[in-house]
Amino acid sequence: MSAQQEKDKYRIAVIAGDGIGPEVIEEARHMTEAAASLEGVSIEWMDYPFGAAYYLEKNEILPESALAEMGKADALLLGAIGSPQVKPGILERGILLKLRFVFDQYINLRPAKSLPNVPTPVPLGGKTMDSVVIRENTEDLYMGLGGIYGGGCENSFETSLDLERGGYSLRGKLSLSVSPDMPFAVQAALNTRHGVERITRYACRTAIGRGERDKERITIVTKSNAAPALYGFFEDTARSVIEEKYPSLKCEAVNVDALCYHLVRDPLAYGVLLCPNLFGDIVSDLQAGLAGGMGTAAGANIGDGLSMFEPVHGSAPDIAGTGHANPIAAILSGALLLRHLGLKKSADAVEKAVNKYLESSPKNELPFEFGGGFSCREVGGAILKRI
Ligand code: NAD
Ligand code: IPM
Ligand code: MN
């Protein structure tokens, strides 16, 4: 998927966003810039102010003109979106999910790797965790079809569909009524063959590219026992792609509830986890916790056009402004961005610098997240020194 390095200057759009977003993105920028310069590459940053403060001041979420401009960038780096000052969903759907959908970023890649000297809640017996969530990123319960209805003026749900996705459009009407009249909520989920097939192909290529340990193996995360239409379809479609196109891969399906149970007992139990959108969201936080913390979990939203790189974590309002945020997840998301641009040496340099910092630092120089005393800026500075 990653483009080969073609130029000596890249334009990267940045939405630092809310809460700890701007704090961690500041460090990720320094690191990405320093690493790229090792290959003689410079970066021109295109800053965008979107997030809670912008919305509250301008009553605008994400203008179309900005989307058009960002579409011309080489990549997008994002901190986090969402604030206690704004009703949940407005900004998350209006910015984060909108970007994933508009740019058809159908792959959400979320590696879960334990890092040197980072304590894990479940002992790994001296081994390292190296698993990856490959999350379908445009469909499932995230389609945005539904609302709250009934209880007086209308007891029926009716919505007109006019949606564009990467390989298809959805048009028409969905309707439902409840009798007797009472308030109800509906949120429809949808998985298409197109959507499942393309994410499965990516997951298979990833499994094959991982080297011996997991080469033969892919795990489909499902819930076909409770939602056989939605997740049975996902599972069956994924399975047929694997059987037809990647017969060397061993394929298993695990219900998401059991998967969570197995994972906390043995975080090393899985390699590539192919997930529908909602399960991928949830499982990636679990994996982040098992690997050492939210503050180290990097992510990429990849499509055939503009791809977006962002940590798995959110805006963490509980620690925003305290300096306690760990910037490593954002820094490693910068490494995924560099790798996507074909800047392999730079990406490796970032990852090595993070490892060196963690290996060589006394406890009081580690991030607060690991019981240390280094602020977000100090952690960033300590990693930058090791590049
Ligand atoms: P969260 O990921 O922001 O926080 C969960 C927990 O992890 C918190 O205790 C937080 O302090 C901790 N944490 C997160 N990042 C950390 C870091 N870098 N260093 C140290 N600790 C860290 O999830 P939440 O509390 O459910 O969500 C807060 C807001 O962020 C909500 O508005 C939510 O919608 C939004 N959100 C946005 C994104 C995104 O932009 N990609 C992702 C998840 C949540
Ligand atoms: C994530 C987040 C988003 C998601 C939210 C903020 C909409 O949790 O990126 O993991 O559910 O995808
Ligand atoms: Mn999430």
Side-chain angles (χ1 to χ4, degrees), residues 18 20 24 78-84 86 88-89 92 96 100 110 281 285 293-296 301 308 310-320 324-330 367-369:
D18 300 317
I20 63 170
V24 298
L78 184 139
I81 297 295
S83 157
V86 180
E92 292 89 338
L96 184 71
R100 290 178 185 165
R110 293 182 156 182
D281 176 47
D285 274 32
M294 286 302 281
T296 63
N301 301 268
M308 170 167 82
E310 45 148 1
V312 171
H313 65 70
S315 57
D318 53 339
I319 55 167
H324 287 200
N326 184 354
I328 292 178
F368 279 90
E369 192 183 24

